[in-house]
Amino acid sequence: MEITETTEVTKALVRRPSPRLAEGLVTHIERSEIDLDLAQRQWQDYVDALHSQGWETIEVEPAPDCPDSVFVEDAVVVYGRTAVITRPGADARKPETVGAEKAVAALGYDVKRIEAPGTLDGGDVLKFGGTVWVGLGGRTNEEGVRQLREHLAAEGAETIGVPLTKVLHLKSAVTALPDGTVVGYEPLVDDPSVWDSFLAVPEESGAHVVLLGGDRILMAADAPRSAELFRSRGYTVTTVDISEYEKLEGCVTCLSVRLRGCPS
Ligand SMILES: NC(=O)NCCC[C@H](N)C(=O)O
């Protein structure tokens, strides 16, 4: 879709992949070999796709010693003027928050933190229409949800914990279309009845959409039938190949943090 001059420019945080990417964690799938060169090209294509859709990207300082740091969404949850620095459930990922905090503080966000014994990964946090659903699975615990609820209540959000047993993060299972319909690949969704409006998609990565503004969405290239389903509902779909990140249980959602209403 052509971007007109009147399209709102929105910002997104991204973080370039670590040279140690291949050492990233895998939990629910078998480890397979990562092609680092290809991963770097795919990351650049992802960033280029955001630019082509009118987004400005801001790079969080690289964390070369953190293999999973490219999955920047897990380190910070942004809601309105509040940025909640997470406390990732996997110890290897805890140092990633340092750079994320610098980035959001520099942008003028009101910075809050998840403190021990709370744990929370940003990939577990699905926000839509004033409600925040948080997956309670391997990475996020009840105390993490309680602290997030407290931080986001000040922004008027209602935060709800939901069960998560089949995939790494809540947003590995479900995301929301621009009209609020929650999309998920049913074999991997614990309880679709949590959402009033749920649409089953035919492919696992069809469950992952990034909202680009208006009727535009970004999704992975390996879910063509889901893309067709979204097009038939009137959405304009951009696709990116993120195969190397999927080998580490990453999705399109976790490679950026979209900053609508950024303070600066
Ligand atoms: N939000 C996300 O879906 N993040 C993906 C994180 C993948 C990484 N290998 C991890 O296990 O933490």
Coordinates of all heavy atoms in Angstrom, one line a residue, residues 24-27 68 71 73-74 90 93 121-124 139 168-169 171-172 245 248-251 253-254, ligand 1:
G24 N 20.5 -19.2 21.0 CA 19.3 -18.8 21.6 C 18.5 -20.0 22.2 O 18.7 -21.1 21.8
L25 N 17.6 -19.7 23.1 CA 16.9 -20.8 23.8 C 15.8 -21.4 22.9 O 15.2 -20.8 22.1 CB 16.1 -20.2 25.0 CG 17.0 -19.5 26.1 CD1 16.1 -18.7 27.1 CD2 17.9 -20.5 26.8
V26 N 15.7 -22.7 23.1 CA 14.5 -23.4 22.5 C 13.9 -24.2 23.6 O 14.6 -24.9 24.4 CB 14.8 -24.3 21.3 CG1 15.1 -23.5 20.0 CG2 16.0 -25.2 21.5
T27 N 12.5 -24.2 23.6 CA 11.8 -24.9 24.7 C 10.8 -25.9 24.2 O 10.8 -27.0 24.7 CB 11.1 -23.8 25.6 OG1 12.0 -22.8 26.0 CG2 10.5 -24.4 26.8
D68 N 19.4 -14.1 22.6 CA 18.0 -13.9 22.2 C 17.6 -12.4 22.2 O 16.4 -12.1 22.2 CB 17.1 -14.6 23.2 CG 17.0 -16.1 23.0 OD1 16.7 -16.5 21.8 OD2 17.2 -16.9 23.9
F71 N 14.9 -10.5 20.1 CA 13.5 -10.6 20.4 C 13.1 -9.5 21.5 O 12.8 -9.7 22.6 CB 13.1 -12.0 21.0 CG 13.5 -13.1 20.0 CD1 14.5 -14.0 20.4 CD2 12.9 -13.2 18.8 CE1 14.8 -15.0 19.5 CE2 13.3 -14.2 17.9 CZ 14.2 -15.1 18.2
E73 N 10.8 -7.4 22.0 CA 9.5 -7.3 22.7 C 9.5 -7.9 24.1 O 8.7 -7.4 24.9 CB 8.5 -8.0 21.8 CG 7.1 -8.1 22.4 CD 6.2 -9.0 21.7 OE1 6.5 -10.2 21.6 OE2 5.2 -8.6 21.2
D74 N 10.3 -8.8 24.4 CA 10.3 -9.5 25.7 C 10.8 -8.7 26.8 O 10.5 -8.9 28.0 CB 11.0 -10.9 25.6 CG 10.3 -11.8 24.7 OD1 9.0 -11.8 24.7 OD2 11.0 -12.6 23.9
A90 N 13.5 -16.4 31.8 CA 14.7 -17.2 31.6 C 15.9 -16.3 32.1 O 16.1 -15.2 31.6 CB 14.9 -17.5 30.1
R93 N 18.2 -14.3 29.8 CA 17.6 -13.2 29.1 C 17.5 -11.9 30.0 O 17.2 -10.8 29.5 CB 16.3 -13.5 28.5 CG 16.4 -14.7 27.5 CD 15.2 -14.7 26.5 NE 15.2 -13.4 25.8 CZ 14.2 -13.1 25.0 NH1 13.2 -13.9 24.8 NH2 14.2 -11.9 24.4
D121 N 7.6 -11.9 30.6 CA 8.2 -11.7 29.2 C 7.2 -10.9 28.4 O 6.0 -11.2 28.4 CB 8.4 -13.0 28.5 CG 9.7 -13.7 28.9 OD1 10.3 -13.4 30.0 OD2 10.1 -14.6 28.1
G122 N 7.6 -9.9 27.7 CA 6.7 -9.1 26.9 C 5.9 -9.9 25.9 O 4.8 -9.5 25.5
G123 N 6.5 -11.0 25.4 CA 5.7 -11.8 24.5 C 4.5 -12.4 25.0 O 3.6 -13.0 24.3
D124 N 4.4 -12.4 26.4 CA 3.2 -12.9 27.0 C 2.0 -11.9 27.1 O 1.0 -12.2 27.7 CB 3.5 -13.4 28.4 CG 4.1 -14.8 28.4 OD1 3.6 -15.7 27.6 OD2 5.0 -15.1 29.2
R139 N 7.3 -18.6 31.4 CA 8.1 -17.4 31.5 C 7.5 -16.3 32.5 O 8.3 -15.6 33.1 CB 8.4 -16.7 30.2 CG 9.2 -17.6 29.2 CD 10.6 -17.8 29.6 NE 11.4 -18.7 28.8 CZ 11.9 -18.4 27.6 NH1 11.8 -17.2 27.1 NH2 12.6 -19.3 26.9
L168 N 5.5 -21.1 23.9 CA 6.4 -20.3 24.7 C 5.7 -19.1 25.3 O 5.8 -18.8 26.5 CB 7.6 -19.8 23.9 CG 8.6 -19.1 24.6 CD1 9.3 -19.9 25.6 CD2 9.7 -18.5 23.6
H169 N 5.0 -18.3 24.5 CA 4.4 -17.0 24.9 C 3.0 -17.0 24.5 O 2.6 -17.6 23.5 CB 5.2 -15.9 24.3 CG 6.5 -15.6 24.9 ND1 7.7 -15.5 24.1 CD2 7.0 -15.5 26.2 CE1 8.7 -15.3 24.9 NE2 8.3 -15.3 26.1
K171 N 1.6 -14.6 22.9 CA 1.5 -14.2 21.5 C 2.2 -15.1 20.5 O 2.2 -14.9 19.3 CB 2.1 -12.7 21.4 CG 1.0 -11.7 21.8 CD 1.4 -10.3 21.5 CE 2.4 -9.8 22.4 NZ 2.8 -8.4 22.2
S172 N 2.7 -16.3 21.0 CA 3.0 -17.4 20.1 C 1.7 -18.1 19.7 O 1.6 -18.9 18.8 CB 4.0 -18.4 20.7 OG 4.9 -17.8 21.5
Y245 N 14.4 -17.0 12.8 CA 13.9 -16.7 14.1 C 12.8 -17.7 14.6 O 12.7 -18.0 15.8 CB 13.3 -15.2 14.1 CG 14.5 -14.3 13.7 CD1 14.6 -13.8 12.4 CD2 15.5 -14.0 14.6 CE1 15.6 -13.0 12.0 CE2 16.6 -13.2 14.2 CZ 16.6 -12.7 12.9 OH 17.7 -12.0 12.5
L248 N 13.9 -20.5 16.6 CA 14.2 -20.2 18.0 C 12.9 -19.8 18.7 O 12.9 -19.1 19.7 CB 15.2 -19.0 18.1 CG 16.6 -19.4 17.6 CD1 17.5 -18.1 17.5 CD2 17.3 -20.4 18.6
E249 N 11.8 -20.2 18.1 CA 10.4 -19.9 18.7 C 10.1 -18.4 18.7 O 9.4 -17.9 19.5 CB 10.3 -20.4 20.1 CG 10.3 -22.0 20.1 CD 10.2 -22.5 21.5 OE1 11.3 -22.7 22.1 OE2 9.1 -22.8 22.0
G250 N 10.7 -17.7 17.7 CA 10.4 -16.2 17.6 C 9.3 -16.0 16.5 O 9.1 -16.9 15.7
C251 N 8.6 -14.9 16.6 CA 7.5 -14.6 15.7 C 7.7 -13.1 15.2 O 8.5 -12.4 15.8 CB 6.1 -14.6 16.3 SG 5.9 -15.9 17.6
T253 N 5.9 -10.7 15.8 CA 5.6 -9.7 16.9 C 6.8 -9.4 17.8 O 6.9 -8.3 18.3 CB 4.4 -10.3 17.8 OG1 4.8 -11.7 18.1 CG2 3.1 -10.3 17.1
C254 N 7.6 -10.4 18.0 CA 8.7 -10.2 19.0 C 9.9 -9.5 18.5 O 10.8 -9.1 19.3 CB 9.0 -11.5 19.7 SG 9.5 -12.8 18.5
Ligands
LIG1 N1 8.0 -12.8 22.2 C1 8.5 -13.8 21.6 O1 7.8 -14.7 21.1 N2 9.8 -14.1 21.8 C2 10.5 -15.2 21.3 C3 11.7 -15.5 22.2 C4 12.4 -16.7 21.7 C5 13.6 -17.0 22.5 N3 14.4 -18.1 21.9 C6 13.3 -17.5 23.9 O2 13.1 -18.7 24.2 O3 13.1 -16.6 24.8

